[in-house]
Amino acid sequence: MPTTLIRKFLNYMSESKKKYGIQWWILIIGLVIILFVTLTALFPGFFAPYSADNMEAGKQLTGPSSQNILGTDNLGRDVFSRIIYGSKTILGVAFIAALISSLIGVPLGLISGFVGGLFDKILSLIMDSIFSFPGLILAIALAAMLGPGIVNITGAVAVIYIPQYFRQVRGQTLSLKEEVFVEAGRAIGASKFRLLRKYIFPNVLATIVVIFSLNIADAIMTEAALSYLGLGLPAGIPDWGRDIAMGKKYLASGYWWIITFPGVAIVTLTLGFTMVGESLSELLNPKLRDK
Amino acid sequence: MKRILKYFTIRLLLTIPMIFILLTLIFFVLRVMPADPVKSMLGAHAPKRVIEQKRKELGLDKPVYSQYWDYLKQLARFDLGDSMIMKQKVITPIKEKLPATLELIIFGLILALTLGVFLGSYGANNRGTKTDTTIRLYGLVVFCIPAYWMGLMLQLIFGIWLDWLPIAGRTGSRVLVANFNNTGFYLIDTLMAGNFTAFFDVLTHLALPALTLALILSGIFVRLTRANMLDVLNNDYILAARARGLSERKVVYKHALKNTLVPILTMLGMQFALLIANAVLTETTFSWPGMARLLVKRIHLRDYPTVQGIIILIAVMVSLSSLIVDLVYAWIDPRVKY
Amino acid sequence: MMKNIIEIKNLSIDYPIYVGTVKAVRNVSMKIKKGEVIGLVGESGCGKSTLGLSLLNMVRAPGKIINGEILYNNTNILDIPYKELLKLRGHNISMIFQNPLNSLNPLYKVSEQFVETIQSHKPKIKKKKALEMAEEMFEKLGIEKSRLYEYPHQMSGGMRQRIMIGIALILNPDLIIADEPTTSLDVIVEAQFVDFLRNLKDKFDVSIMVITHNLGLVAELADRIAVMYGGKIIERGEVEKIYHNPMHEYTKGLISCIPNVKAEQKKLVTMPGAPPDLINPPSGCRFSPRCPKAMDICYEKLPELKTYDGHEVACWLYETEKENS
Ligand SMILES: Nc1ncnc2c1ncn2[C@@H]1O[C@H](COP(=O)(O)OP(=O)(O)O)[C@@H](O)[C@H]1O
Ligand code: SF4
Ligand SMILES: [Mg+2]
């Protein structure tokens, strides 16, 4: 019954809202932002009035109007449409980069924490070194050397976030492997792989989800920054960061809309993932809940 | 004192593997990657013979591991080597640009801390009010703003619309830096020369980039301060201090704030990476002639030795900053023993 | 007749919170005489700390004093300006708290915390003189002088609690409120501390209000005892009377909960049933849901505090007896 389902859902929502207070709202708002941007990324044609590279002669650098609600850029392209098409780029790169980071960082953290010994020491040292170094600078170096290209940029962004997963997962694995239930698993003769997969991994999953969300937020910032510095994607792919770098030249003449709106888009999307990550981390950790 | 010294030495030695790892990583990333510095130097259509010649000159014809070994030997002599592109030592432009970056970072950090700690403690002391909610929101949103965009928005508002502040460079055209240059910190240089017009000029140029950096970083400090202050305010010693008749100002700014700063300080070391990353973006946006901008430029030019040199320097700075944080920590908190 | 130092009249305190209003203190009246030790006893959550803090007008947010007066030297301290209030705190009325390990700021030396207290009330006193005063206090309390210049973390809990008393006494207050002063000390230190408090009465001319959930503790210390339940005082009288002839069913329960003195460990014997919900307190006698002798009227009307030969109690059992006879 769809109506009862909806009623149940609404009930659940209002109860949770009472229980968790402001964190609940932060989570919901974050999710709504993410959902909306995901939709524009998947179906840009539905939302954008023009295509991303539709240049209209004589319409360069016009301010926001009924035809171009966010104005046009120096080539006469519709800023709003470029933002819509650009969402696909940035969301795609950030999401895939975060996925790659987690797929490398999580298993390494699990194994390193579980196995211990010299392997763990060396790996931790390497990860800590990368972690303490400014990620953006590492990404700049990687991106510059790899050259433009969507795969290269995604890779460069992915590398710098591996240590985050590694450190958190390793730390939790270290303490989890001393727990009684893991000991119990060992006692009944579970293999190491099984112990990791069935006993430890489910317990670090919550942390991974939180990091993943915050990671995407950060990766969005990094991708946009690389593009802004001219180290991002090849020209031709609509990209928020590069649009800001392009619009920079026209700022002094007062054409503010070219840079303002892509910036607002970056902030909003980053905010969405940050809100989800942070509220999840607080909702999952009752000690921190009402700060 | 002896123990602190011992601790200091051990910490210093521990940073060596970290720098070594980063250095190795960057070395191989730079050398293994497809981009060729010689081609970018001489142009893609230079004759093969000339290219070969140049490669030999730069030692690029040797196998990578032997290049690596040579580089390590060079570093052990505290020598960062020569630039591949310019006829200069790697250290030369770094020395020249470092003060600009430090001036920006230090100024920005002080502003950020002041703003963040003030707003954070205000929020914590007025928990649950509308102002507090606004402050929390500020902390969250500012954290999600890219530094360059913040910089551009400030340029737009204060530089272009209001026309109050300059938006590029460290000095105006009428101020001859050469007359003052001696520490490289223009604020100090102009002040020492007693030239207040120049000092003011330097200050106005510093204003927007420093503010950009400060606003971006203040988000973190607001959040850290607020959360820690709330913890601290729950302690009995705060209640006890009030019960002794101390004024609210003394309770908050003497007793609560100092205790709040301890955990913030320990996290300051970690924020250093964030500071550097945002400095890169800020310098680029404001044409600030600092290290970060140098790095981006040299990366584009594929000047390996200079890029490596800068990265090593940043790694050293990261380690140093966490070392300093530890020392200050031991100094404020009597419970810490090394 | 000894002079009253404090007179509380009809005091009520609320904590308005998200889910409702916590009625933490209700219509409490109380007198504290000069030089006496009064024990305020009751289960945790019954409003003792709130009442104690109100004597410094320091109820924690979001707490509000909604009604009543607290007279000190015939002035209502709830009315005086903030500056005057600051002068009162730590100078005329001092308070010490439950957790000595956390009552001194870990980042400042003990000496500093003495000096700031003295100087905030007597700005003319130089630091050197203030330190002398503190050293003198240490001597009186039987603590080595050199310890004054240590950090709190270098001392034991018992020592720190004595130091808290020292800071509280340094400006010769009329009243010290000690909120659960021994709860976080272990049994042996607790016994020592109780001795210490008893000696204090002889050395200093100060009234003490000891707040505790442990009736046994105040039995050794106090001259008078007031028993609180659900934000109200339900029984009050001389210590012997309360101890040997308790009238209220709740007090009787508390006495049966006093841990055996010989027992090595602090055993917590608890009474059956839960303390009342102060957001929606039971109508009638607050104790009625747990009272073995509850009658019909107990569920309907709140009994008032009435005096029966110098011993006050709020319970229908006695009123009905009188009415019947
Ligand atoms: N800051 C506060 N905010 C909300 N409720 C409080 C606060 N402090 C105390 N209370 C409530 O007031 C009642 C009395 O608390 P308290 O005076 O601390 O009792 P006691 O000291 O007897 O344990 C309790 O129900 C408690 O939950
Ligand atoms: S009034 Fe009634 S319920 Fe309350 S204590 Fe007396 S007998 Fe028990
Ligand atoms: Mg209490």
Side-chain angles (χ1 to χ4, degrees), chain A residues 129 132-134 136-137 140 142 144-145 224 228 231 244 248 251 256 259-260 263 271 274 278 290-291, chain B residues 18 22 29-30 33 127 136 144 148-149 152-153 156 160 223 231 273 276 284-285 299-300 302 314 318:
Chain A
S129 305
S132 62
F133 194 78
L136 179 65
I137 291 184
I140 288 174
L142 289 170
M145 294 308 137
Y228 173 77
L231 295 163
I244 293 179
K248 200 177 149 186
L251 188 65
W256 54 273
I259 56 162
T260 303
L271 204 56
T274 307
E278 298 218 330
D290 54 14
K291 287 248 173 81
Chain B
M18 179 204 147
L22 278 168
V29 164
L30 294 188
M33 295 307 161
R127 186 178 178 182
R136 287 177 75 176
C144 297
Y148 50 92
W149 189 70
L152 290 170
M153 287 296 119
L156 181 68
I160 294 160
R223 294 151 53 113
D231 269 352
I276 295 277
T284 314
T285 304
I299 280 181
H300 281 298
R302 318 240 176 268
I314 290 175
V318 168

Side-chain angles (χ1 to χ4, degrees), chain C residues 34-137:
Chain C
K34 183 141 183 76
E36 82 167 336
V37 177
I38 185 162
L40 185 62
V41 187
E43 279 168 301
S44 150
C46 69
K48 306 178 302 285
S49 298
T50 308
L51 183 59
L53 285 167
S54 72
L55 293 177
L56 294 172
N57 198 355
M58 238 177 67
V59 176
R60 287 183 198 247
K64 283 251 152 47
I65 297 177
I66 53 160
N67 185 32
E69 290 182 345
I70 298 173
L71 300 178
Y72 171 76
N73 283 340
N74 295 323
T75 43
N76 183 0
I77 65 159
L78 302 179
D79 276 348
I80 59 178
Y82 181 63
K83 281 239 166 95
E84 296 293 314
L85 193 62
L86 287 185
K87 282 188 199 156
L88 187 97
R89 293 179 184 163
H91 185 196
N92 306 102
I93 302 176
S94 302
M95 185 157 178
I96 63 167
F97 300 94
Q98 175 170 348
N99 185 359
L101 294 179
N102 196 12
S103 284
L104 287 160
N105 191 329
L107 301 186
Y108 293 103
K109 284 184 181 153
V110 171
S111 55
E112 169 60 24
Q113 306 189 44
F114 264 96
V115 170
E116 84 179 347
T117 310
I118 297 169
Q119 288 186 334
S120 71
H121 291 286
K122 310 218 156 133
K124 283 199 193 118
I125 293 184
K126 292 269 166 348
K127 184 170 180 189
K128 194 159 164 261
K129 177 78 185 27
L131 286 173
E132 272 169 29
M133 286 168 71
E135 286 186 0
E136 216 173 284
M137 177 59 73

Side-chain angles (χ1 to χ4, degrees), chain B residues 106-335:
Chain B
I106 292 171
F107 211 73
L109 191 61
I110 292 173
L111 271 181
L113 264 173
T114 318
L115 188 68
V117 167
F118 175 77
L119 287 179
S121 19
Y122 189 88
N125 279 291
N126 297 277
R127 186 178 178 182
T129 59
K130 282 213 178 86
T131 324
D132 178 37
T133 311
T134 315
I135 289 174
R136 287 177 75 176
L137 215 62
Y138 168 86
L140 188 67
V141 172
V142 135
F143 187 65
C144 297
I145 299 180
Y148 50 92
W149 189 70
M150 174 79 88
L152 290 170
M153 287 296 119
L154 292 179
Q155 286 183 359
L156 181 68
I157 297 168
F158 296 103
I160 294 160
W161 284 346
L162 297 172
D163 199 16
W164 285 352
L165 291 164
I167 59 174
R170 288 181 84 188
T171 57
S173 52
R174 278 181 303 153
V175 176
L176 275 179
V177 183
N179 296 347
F180 304 111
N181 221 346
N182 72 72
T183 63
F185 294 89
Y186 288 179
L187 282 178
I188 298 175
D189 288 342
T190 51
L191 214 54
M192 283 199 313
N195 187 334
F196 290 103
T197 338
F199 176 75
F200 193 69
D201 180 76
V202 170
L203 200 61
T204 53
H205 278 82
L206 186 56
L208 285 185
L211 188 63
T212 303
L213 208 51
L215 287 175
I216 296 291
L217 292 168
S218 69
I220 291 261
F221 293 130
V222 165
R223 294 151 53 113
L224 287 178
T225 309
R226 188 178 173 280
N228 285 309
M229 181 74 98
L230 280 177
D231 269 352
V232 169
L233 287 176
N234 264 331
N235 279 301
D236 273 2
Y237 56 76
I238 296 299
L239 205 60
R242 285 205 183 102
R244 288 194 302 243
L246 302 191
S247 65
E248 203 53 33
R249 219 185 59 218
K250 263 238 166 99
V251 172
V252 173
Y253 291 105
K254 180 174 173 186
H255 286 273
L257 190 58
K258 196 168 176 186
N259 283 280
T260 305
L261 287 179
V262 174
I264 292 182
L265 193 75
T266 59
M267 283 177 252
L268 201 60
M270 279 186 250
Q271 305 309 331
F272 190 77
L274 195 73
L275 184 66
I276 295 277
N278 281 302
V280 174
L281 299 169
T282 309
E283 287 189 1
T284 314
T285 304
F286 286 91
S287 312
W288 191 260
M291 283 242 299
R293 200 153 149 259
L294 179 73
L295 175 72
V296 175
K297 272 189 183 160
R298 293 302 166 95
I299 280 181
H300 281 298
L301 291 174
R302 318 240 176 268
D303 184 356
Y304 295 166
T306 309
V307 171
Q308 277 164 4
I310 295 173
I311 285 183
I312 289 171
L313 194 78
I314 290 175
V316 171
M317 278 162 73
V318 168
S319 318
L320 269 185
S321 72
S322 77
L323 192 62
I324 293 171
V325 160
D326 275 357
L327 289 176
V328 179
Y329 182 34
W331 173 61
I332 324 192
D333 193 335
R335 288 164 298 185

